[in-house]
Every structure is written in C-alpha cells, then in structure tokens.
C-alpha cells in the first residue's frame, strides 16, 4: 500500500513525478501520525507510538505531526497527507458522514483501536467569580485551537447551555490550552475549554501557579440535550478532586472516547503490524501518560469506536478475545 506522509517527506512526494517507483518505496517505509497541540495528551502518546513503530517494524520510519487536533487530523487523513490519526469519536463520526467541518468532503477513516476517554474541561480560576456555565456570559473565553475537536465540543456545550457563541461573550478566542493558560495568568482571559485526558500539562500548570485557585466548571446536566441533537457519542464522567493542583471538588463533566484511525484502504498486514506493536507496548505507553492506562481489551467496543472498524483491526481484536459488541 502507498500513502502520502507529512511535512518531512514532501521532497520525496515531489520526486514521485520523476521516480514513481522510488517514491512508492519511500512512502511504504514512512508514516506521519497526526496528533494535537504540545500541551495535550495526543502529542506525547503519538510521539511514543512513532518511536515504537520505528523500532519494531522493519524499514518503518514514523514521525508525528503537531496539529490543532482531531478535526485537522481527519482533514489531513482525508487529503492522504498522514497515515494515522488520533481523534475524538465525535469528530470521526462527522468525518465519515461528511457533516459539519467535513461537509461535502467525507473522510474514509476506520478505527483500529479505542484508546481512552477524553474529558471536557471548562477551566477558570476563583478570582473570576465563574462557578457555572451561565456565568460565562459576558466573559472572555477560548473555545480551543482552530481545527480541534475541543472547539467542536465546546460550541455544542455552549449551545446546550443556552448561550450564543457570537453574541454572549466579551471575546471568544481560539487558543491552544497552553496559550489559554498563559492568557488567564496574564489577566487577558477568564475561562477556556479543553478536551483531553487528565491530567493535562496546561491545566496542571495553571493550577500550580502561585496565587491561583483552579476551578473546573460542572456541565454534566447539558449532556442529554447534546446527545439528543448530535447522537450518543457523549456520556457523563467525573474528574476526581485533586487530579490537578488546587482542585478541591470532583468535576462532573462530559466525556467522549478517542480512537486511533487510519484510511479504509490501509493494507491489512500493515494494520496488523501496527496493532501488534501498540498492544505489545501498552504498559510502556501508560508510563508516557497515565491516560494510556485505559487502553484495554474491554474498551474495544464498536459503540465506543463510533466509526466502522478496519477489517484487519476487527480480526485482531476478536483474535485477542474482544467481543466488540
């Protein structure tokens, strides 16, 4: 199988016009993994996975792409510019169906693994006086980096809370989590949305800042309304008290699963090799970030994946005893 890779291989791609055979050979040994911002969880997990794949699959050189997040990742996959993505399920469902940001451009993404749960985290500090979603009205907020699933999920939550994304805020920025944390520290932002596993470095940084009392806003009561409109990809969970410095109470929030996805035309043998490496390194992966502890056999469910399985992945997981149903 051939696929175009990320920025590091643009020269090889250009050479395809003159040396198509050579270009195919190069593409077959390289793969870019689209991840997310450096302040999130996708990036360190993707970097570790790239190392495992490069080390354990003969002839493969895997690299990571820093991106805005799930939406951007899936758009890159649709354009055949990366070979693998980490994505939230809601964005992947939109991509397959050609909805929202993918209108008219559906992406043939297929799940190969369900990883861990992503938590919607509505982040502020006590000095703002914000204690509930309604308090965000008139405030300066960030709904996440452009091209991120954070932005998609944040706008759905804002809508369900009865707020207008364009009229009800003093300012609505589109910042990365690290940029948002810095903006709150500098007094330029009141709250931000970020969807990730926990703990995530940007929120930890904010909570650990001197003179700051971290607050995570509960929003679980809006989940039924969101599910009614967008489908059953969201569910309630809690981030326990103490998950972040200064976090005094459990945060009742909305969650969504994450998947590793590839194009439907990826060769079966390559999918199997990738999964053998991922599964074989699951303990190592959990040392990179605690979110990877939830990469378990019982998590490999069709409903959790949201999009169709790649046939080789379905065979792999069934062979390891997963029921998938």
């Amino acid at each position: 199988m051939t696929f175009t890779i990320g920025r590091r291989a643009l020269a090889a791609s250009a050479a395809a016009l003159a040396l198509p055979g050579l270009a195919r050979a190069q593409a077959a040994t390289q793969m870019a993994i689209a991840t997310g911002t450096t302040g999130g969880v996708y990036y360190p997990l993707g970097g570790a996975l790239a190392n495992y794949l490069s080390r354990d699959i003969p002839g493969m050189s895997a690299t990571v792409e820093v991106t805005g997040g799930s939406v951007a990742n899936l758009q890159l996959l649709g354009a055949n510019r990366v070979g693998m993505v980490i994505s939230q399920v809601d964005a992947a469902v939109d991509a397959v169906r050609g909805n929202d940001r993918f209108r008219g451009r559906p992406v043939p993404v297929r799940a190969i693994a369900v990883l861990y749960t992503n938590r919607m985290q509505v982040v502020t500090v006590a000095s703002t006086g914000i204690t509930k979603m309604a308090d965000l009205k008139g405030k300066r907020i960030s709904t996440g980096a452009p091209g991120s699933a954070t932005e998609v999920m944040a706008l759905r939550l804002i809508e369900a809370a009865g707020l207008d994304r364009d009229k009800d805020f003093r300012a609505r920025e589109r910042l990365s989590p690290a940029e948002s944390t810095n903006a709150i520290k500098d007094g330029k932002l009141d709250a931000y949305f970020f969807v990730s596993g926990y703990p995530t470095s940007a929120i930890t940084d904010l909570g650990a800042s001197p003179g700051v009392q971290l607050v995570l806003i509960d929003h679980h009561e809006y989940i039924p309304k969101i599910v009614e409109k967008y489908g059953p990809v969201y569910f309630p969970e809690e981030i326990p008290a103490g998950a972040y410095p200064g976090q005094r109470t459990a945060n009742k929030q909305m969650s969504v699963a994450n998947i590793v996805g590839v194009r439907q035309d990826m060769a079966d043998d390559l999918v199997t090799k990738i999964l053998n490496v991922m599964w074989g390194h699951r303990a190592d992966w959990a040392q990179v970030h605690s979110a990877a502890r939830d990469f378990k056999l019982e998590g490999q469910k069709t409903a959790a994946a949201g999009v169709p399985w790649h046939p080789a992945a379905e065979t792999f997981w069934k062979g390891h005893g997963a029921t998938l149903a």
Side-chain angles (χ1 to χ4, degrees):
M1 170 204 170
T2 64
F3 49 81
T4 309
I5 61 173
R7 291 188 292 269
R8 297 188 183 185
L10 290 180
S13 299
L17 293 175
L19 298 169
L22 176 60
R24 283 196 296 271
Q26 290 173 329
T29 61
Q30 300 185 59
M31 177 163 50
I33 305 170
T35 58
T37 62
T38 56
V41 177
Y42 287 4
Y43 179 71
L45 289 184
L49 178 58
N51 288 334
Y52 304 150
L53 295 175
S54 298
R55 187 172 65 201
D56 293 357
I57 298 179
M60 174 170 282
S61 175
T63 60
V64 294
E65 295 282 350
V66 177
T67 72
S70 297
V71 174
N73 293 352
L74 291 158
Q75 289 170 338
L76 288 169
L77 190 70
N80 217 20
R81 290 177 56 194
V82 298
M84 186 185 305
V85 299
I86 306 176
S87 173
Q88 283 186 191
V89 168
D90 53 354
V93 169
D94 283 347
V96 167
R97 295 177 178 174
N99 291 339
D100 203 356
R101 304 291 182 87
F102 305 94
R103 190 170 304 280
R105 296 182 179 179
V107 178
V109 60
R110 296 293 181 264
I112 66 169
V114 178
L115 292 183
Y116 63 94
T117 296
N118 250 11
R119 315 297 187 100
M120 167 54 79
Q121 297 162 85
V122 186
V123 184
T124 188
V125 292
S127 60
T128 65
I130 299 169
T131 61
K132 57 185 182 297
M133 287 294 296
D135 294 338
L136 293 173
K137 188 171 184 178
K139 302 297 186 180
R140 301 162 300 174
I141 68 167
S142 171
T143 51
S148 67
T150 289
E151 187 173 55
V152 172
M153 200 166 166
L155 294 178
R156 291 176 180 181
L157 176 55
I158 286 168
E159 176 188 47
L163 297 168
D164 188 302
R165 68 175 79 175
D166 299 316
K167 299 178 181 178
D168 282 342
F169 304 107
R170 179 179 167 190
R172 182 170 73 83
E173 307 293 346
R174 304 172 74 195
L175 306 176
S176 73
E179 291 169 333
S180 296
T181 282
N182 289 333
I184 287 185
K185 289 181 183 180
D186 294 339
K188 297 177 180 178
L189 197 71
D190 298 308
Y192 69 90
F193 296 74
F194 186 43
V195 182
S196 74
Y198 78 88
T200 189
S201 60
I203 302 175
T204 297
D205 178 26
L206 181 60
S209 301
V212 167
Q213 176 59 57
L214 182 72
V215 176
L216 299 181
I217 304 301
D218 289 347
H219 53 269
H220 61 294
E221 68 267 31
Y222 302 108
I223 298 173
K225 190 172 183 179
I226 297 171
V227 166
E228 181 180 359
K229 182 170 183 178
Y230 295 103
V233 295
Y234 304 111
F235 47 92
E237 285 191 311
E238 287 191 4
I239 297 174
Y244 292 106
Q247 182 199 347
R248 295 175 176 172
T249 60
N251 178 219
K252 299 177 180 179
Q253 43 71 227
M254 174 171 61
S255 293
V256 64
N258 294 287
I259 60 170
V260 175
V262 299
R263 291 177 63 92
Q264 66 179 4
D265 57 359
M266 179 177 275
D268 288 356
D269 63 334
L270 181 55
V271 171
T272 301
K273 288 177 182 177
I274 290 169
L275 284 172
N276 273 318
V277 171
M278 288 173 58
W279 193 238
H281 282 283
R282 62 190 182 278
D284 302 321
W285 227 9
Q287 295 299 313
V288 174
H289 196 286
S290 59
R293 295 173 186 167
D294 291 333
F295 178 37
K296 299 176 180 178
L297 191 65
E298 55 267 32
Q300 308 310 310
K301 301 289 186 181
T302 299
V307 299
W309 291 102
H310 189 287
E314 189 170 8
T315 299
F316 178 90
W317 291 119
K318 285 182 177 178
H320 281 73
T323 61
L324 299 186

